[in-house]
Amino acid sequence: MRKIVLGYVIMIFIPVLAFGYHYYSQIYGNLTQQFVESRQKILEQAYANLKTDFARIQSVHRVLQYNPYLTDYLDGVYESDADSIYALTRYILPLNTQSMFANPEIESIVIYKMKDRVLPITNLFRDRSMLDPQTEQTVSSLKAGQGKWLRADPAASDPDLIYYQYIYNTQITERIGLLEIRVRKSLIHNFYAAAGVEGSWRALLLSGQGDPLTNEAPALDKKTLRLLQADDRKFFINRQTIVNQLKLEPLDVRVIVTGQVGDVFRSVKKKEIVLVTMIVLLLIALSIAYYLLASTITKRILRLARHMRTLNDNNLRQLTVKNGKFEKDEIGFLIVTYNAMVRRMDELVNNVHRAEMRNKEAAYQVLQAQIKPHFLYNTLETIRMVAEANDDKEVADISFWFGKLMRYSLSSAREETVLAKEIEMVSFYMNIHKMRLQSRLTFEIQVALDAERLACPRFLLQPLIENAIVHGASAVLRPVHISLQARETESEITIDVTDSGNGIKPEKLLALRERLSRHDEPRKAEERVGVGLKNVNERVKSFFGGESRLEILSESGKGTCLRIIIVKRKVADMPFA
């Protein structure tokens, strides 16, 4: 029954839910994508209108710049106050009134005069000293024909805007005034309204790098802010938040318009109930069909399973069918085959009993075989204890080292160990040969890596040490030094076994290297030399893989170095213990 339920979940329940979820996600995703794209187009159209308004307001500067009475007034051409007042009232003030009438968004127009002899008659002209120093520093780099928009309140999402541009003399060679046009909030409000910022929709300003500039910025969650800072997309949806953005180049800021998906797609949410109802009805219909189909098949399988659970060594009866006939389908064939199997099992019971007796005999023989190495360990331990009792340290040490080597070689069933254990066994092996060769042999071991964590094959180093003793130390009468060094870099691990013996002749060294590079087994009798090295080379390649290998470095008369190079793989693939 568990399998039937599992089949129902896998074949009916999960596919129906997956289909419904996928279908809903596709519709919902398409609708949200289309909506966000349309919102972006509305925002871009609103920005196009805003740029038109900016250009219209900036045109006030051209009207003033090319008015000769205004430029003469700011340049101090008029020698008497009467001439200045006449030019102001006759030609300049009407021009100012006309500019403000044509642009209702303008709150005020002020010109900061650059020359002291200019008469400041009305609030239209102010002395340069009244200009904010920070603002003056900001606009000081403007060139002729360039203007700059500033926000009066940087912390507000709908600030008053101020436009600055210098007025030059008629030859455009000298600055004679700084035009300041203050624009009411209605300009930004109209832009937001055209961009669809109403109801639950919010607008805020960010810097070019995505840093919050307004008081409303904390309303955005941290993930949305990170996306705004790291992503250049014009629009995206973060969970339930719709984000449209656009750069306002005149203000050097980014405007962000946000809204909630749930507030936009309330009608879609209502349709979820209809979709869920359809999925439930479809699930019920498929469940009934599945039950009717499964019940016709599973009843006989369940009857066979119940009969199989009753079988044991004392009950090997066959399955019988009520009508005495087997249906000629797969299940009927299974029951017939099962009955034949039960008959055969009944015949083999005695054979199984005899096989168990033979297994017990084999286990006894295995137990006898285990006695032999334990007897050897105990004998070596007894020799060591007797040597220590007789104060014979050399015999005690040799017994201890040899016992360790024998236990390492005979007791473990695993074919791998760690490098630290291999180095420890090599030190025991070298100590025994040091006791035999005395002053003719010296050795050292230097390990510059974490040998406890590096897995390796058993008896990887012992053949190399044996080769160094047989062909290095034992082949000459002078003292020979053998060193074992293990180190690692970022890309590989190197293990060197070096002796100061006679080395290898060039032609023999070439033959050995060629033999290591071949994959075939040696056939000639003289090729038996180097079999141990070839075996080590094959084990290194098989265990560590990649470009790992054994190399032979030697110079005739100066000694030999047997080098194991283990090329590091990925961290997950390195053979650590």
Side-chain angles (χ1 to χ4, degrees):
M1 292 301 297
R2 287 196 301 268
K3 294 180 180 179
I4 295 176
V5 174
L6 181 62
Y8 169 77
V9 172
I10 295 175
M11 298 175 61
I12 304 297
F13 189 77
I14 294 179
V16 170
L17 291 183
F19 170 77
Y21 177 78
H22 177 73
Y23 181 72
Y24 175 76
S25 299
Q26 288 290 329
I27 296 177
Y28 190 75
N30 292 336
L31 289 175
T32 53
Q33 185 69 17
Q34 293 174 4
F35 178 79
V36 175
E37 290 177 356
S38 64
R39 292 284 305 187
Q40 187 66 28
K41 292 179 180 178
I42 293 174
L43 180 60
E44 292 174 355
Q45 182 61 44
Y47 176 52
N49 297 336
L50 179 64
K51 288 196 294 185
T52 302
D53 294 336
F54 280 158
R56 176 168 48 81
I57 294 172
Q58 291 172 197
S59 65
V60 173
H61 172 268
R62 290 194 296 272
V63 173
L64 299 177
Q65 174 68 63
Y66 295 107
N67 185 294
Y69 299 99
L70 177 65
T71 55
D72 290 344
Y73 183 87
L74 293 174
D75 203 14
V77 174
Y78 301 111
E79 297 180 354
S80 64
D81 293 346
D83 293 338
S84 299
I85 294 173
Y86 177 78
L88 177 68
T89 56
R90 179 71 178 82
Y91 299 106
I92 299 176
L93 289 180
L95 186 64
N96 179 60
T97 303
Q98 179 184 0
S99 298
M100 295 191 65
F101 178 78
N103 301 279
E105 301 89 352
I106 297 178
E107 181 179 352
S108 65
I109 298 177
V110 176
I111 300 176
Y112 293 94
K113 62 188 184 64
M114 298 294 179
K115 296 185 177 181
D116 296 334
R117 63 178 179 270
V118 177
L119 184 65
I121 301 176
T122 65
N123 194 40
L124 174 63
F125 299 98
R126 296 180 183 175
D127 191 79
R128 182 179 182 179
S129 60
M130 300 178 65
L131 181 63
D132 181 53
Q134 184 176 1
T135 302
E136 184 178 9
Q137 183 179 2
T138 302
V139 301
S140 61
S141 61
L142 294 177
K143 299 180 181 179
Q146 290 182 340
K148 190 174 186 64
W149 286 92
L150 299 178
R151 291 174 288 121
D153 184 6
S157 61
D158 54 348
D160 292 336
L161 301 181
I162 309 175
Y163 179 74
Y164 290 96
Q165 188 170 358
Y166 283 103
I167 298 177
Y168 289 78
N169 58 10
T170 54
Q171 290 79 24
I172 315 298
T173 58
E174 181 185 8
R175 294 175 176 176
I176 57 177
L178 176 63
L179 174 63
E180 177 188 88
I181 302 177
R182 289 185 175 269
V183 181
R184 296 184 179 90
K185 293 183 179 180
S186 59
L187 183 65
I188 292 294
H189 288 169
N190 293 337
F191 167 69
Y192 286 160
V197 180
E198 58 184 7
S200 61
W201 290 87
R202 295 289 182 269
L204 55 98
L205 300 178
L206 302 180
S207 67
Q209 292 74 31
D211 298 324
L213 298 178
T214 63
N215 296 328
E216 291 83 355
L220 293 177
D221 58 271
K222 295 182 179 179
K223 184 176 180 180
T224 302
L225 282 176
R226 286 198 301 268
L227 291 174
L228 289 170
Q229 294 171 351
D231 203 334
D232 295 333
R233 289 180 296 174
K234 294 183 179 180
F235 53 86
F236 59 88
I237 299 177
N238 177 27
R239 296 180 181 176
Q240 295 298 318
T241 303
I242 298 175
V243 179
N244 293 87
Q245 62 174 326
L246 190 68
K247 184 175 182 180
L248 302 182
E249 295 182 357
L251 302 179
D252 193 23
V253 296
R254 281 195 288 169
V255 59
I256 310 299
V257 179
T258 63
Q260 297 298 316
V261 177
D263 296 336
V264 177
F265 296 100
R266 288 191 177 91
S267 60
V268 177
K269 292 292 183 181
K270 294 178 181 178
K271 294 181 180 179
E272 287 184 4
I273 301 176
V274 178
L275 180 62
V276 170
T277 303
M278 292 176 59
I279 292 176
V280 171
L281 294 177
L282 178 61
L283 189 61
I284 293 174
L286 291 177
S287 300
I288 295 174
Y290 178 83
Y291 173 77
L292 295 176
L293 177 63
S295 61
T296 59
I297 299 175
T298 57
K299 287 182 178 179
R300 289 184 293 159
I301 297 178
L302 293 175
R303 188 184 307 115
L304 177 61
R306 285 194 297 268
H307 179 268
M308 294 176 67
R309 292 190 186 97
T310 61
L311 293 183
N312 53 47
D313 293 342
N314 299 322
N315 180 19
L316 293 177
R317 60 184 180 87
Q318 300 180 30
L319 176 63
T320 58
V321 182
K322 292 182 178 179
N323 56 13
K325 295 181 180 180
F326 296 103
E327 297 183 18
K328 295 180 180 181
D329 56 6
E330 289 78 4
I331 301 177
F333 174 76
L334 178 63
I335 295 175
V336 172
T337 305
Y338 166 75
N339 287 336
M341 181 188 66
V342 170
R343 288 194 301 270
R344 181 59 178 166
M345 288 174 58
D346 195 19
E347 295 173 359
L348 295 177
V349 168
N350 292 330
N351 294 336
V352 171
H353 178 70
R354 286 192 295 269
E356 290 179 353
M357 295 300 295
R358 287 194 296 269
N359 289 338
K360 290 181 179 179
E361 181 66 21
Y364 175 73
Q365 293 178 358
V366 171
L367 181 61
Q368 280 187 325
Q370 291 179 345
I371 296 175
K372 296 177 183 179
H374 287 292
F375 178 73
L376 177 60
Y377 303 150
N378 294 336
T379 302
L380 291 173
E381 182 65 16
T382 301
I383 295 174
R384 187 181 68 83
M385 293 174 60
V386 172
E388 288 184 351
N390 295 332
D391 200 18
D392 193 342
K393 188 175 184 307
E394 293 182 351
V395 175
D397 289 343
I398 291 178
S399 299
F400 174 74
W401 297 331
F402 184 64
K404 285 287 187 179
L405 287 173
M406 295 303 295
R407 187 179 299 275
Y408 181 71
S409 62
L410 297 177
S411 62
S412 178
R414 296 183 60 187
E415 288 299 326
E416 67 178 60
T417 182
V418 293
L419 182 61
K421 193 67 176 177
E422 273 289 293
I423 293 175
E424 181 184 14
M425 293 301 107
V426 165
S427 66
F428 295 151
Y429 186 80
M430 293 294 292
N431 285 331
I432 294 175
H433 282 283
K434 171 67 176 176
M435 192 73 69
R436 179 174 65 88
L437 298 177
Q438 297 297 324
S439 61
R440 289 178 55 198
L441 175 65
T442 59
F443 70 92
E444 64 175 338
I445 298 176
Q446 296 179 357
V447 181
L449 52 85
D450 189 0
E452 292 287 350
R453 296 184 64 246
L454 179 62
C456 66
R458 284 163 51 86
F459 291 102
L460 179 68
L461 303 180
Q462 190 271 341
L464 306 184
I465 296 295
E466 182 179 0
N467 188 84
I469 293 174
V470 173
H471 299 287
S474 299
V476 296
L477 297 177
R478 60 180 173 81
V480 174
H481 180 73
I482 298 176
S483 67
L484 170 62
Q485 294 181 340
R487 58 188 181 276
E488 70 174 327
T489 63
E490 293 183 359
S491 60
E492 63 184 23
I493 296 173
T494 305
I495 304 173
D496 289 346
V497 176
T498 308
D499 68 77
S500 60
N502 285 336
I504 304 175
K505 295 180 180 180
E507 59 274 9
K508 186 176 180 180
L509 178 61
L510 182 61
L512 284 174
R513 289 175 175 172
E514 182 180 358
R515 202 167 302 155
L516 288 181
S517 64
R518 294 205 307 261
H519 296 285
D520 56 335
E521 293 295 332
R523 298 178 181 178
K524 300 179 181 179
E526 57 270 17
E527 289 186 352
R528 297 307 298 173
V529 179
V531 171
L533 299 182
K534 183 175 179 63
N535 183 38
V536 171
N537 184 44
E538 295 299 329
R539 296 178 70 198
V540 169
K541 290 182 178 180
S542 175
F543 189 86
F544 295 103
E547 298 296 326
S548 302
R549 62 197 179 276
L550 171 67
E551 292 184 352
I552 304 177
L553 309 174
S554 181
E555 187 174 353
S556 182
K558 293 186 178 181
T560 303
C561 175
L562 302 177
R563 175 171 294 171
I564 295 177
I565 299 177
I566 302 172
V567 178
K568 292 182 178 179
R569 295 166 284 172
K570 296 180 181 178
V571 175
D573 297 333
M574 282 297 293
F576 291 120

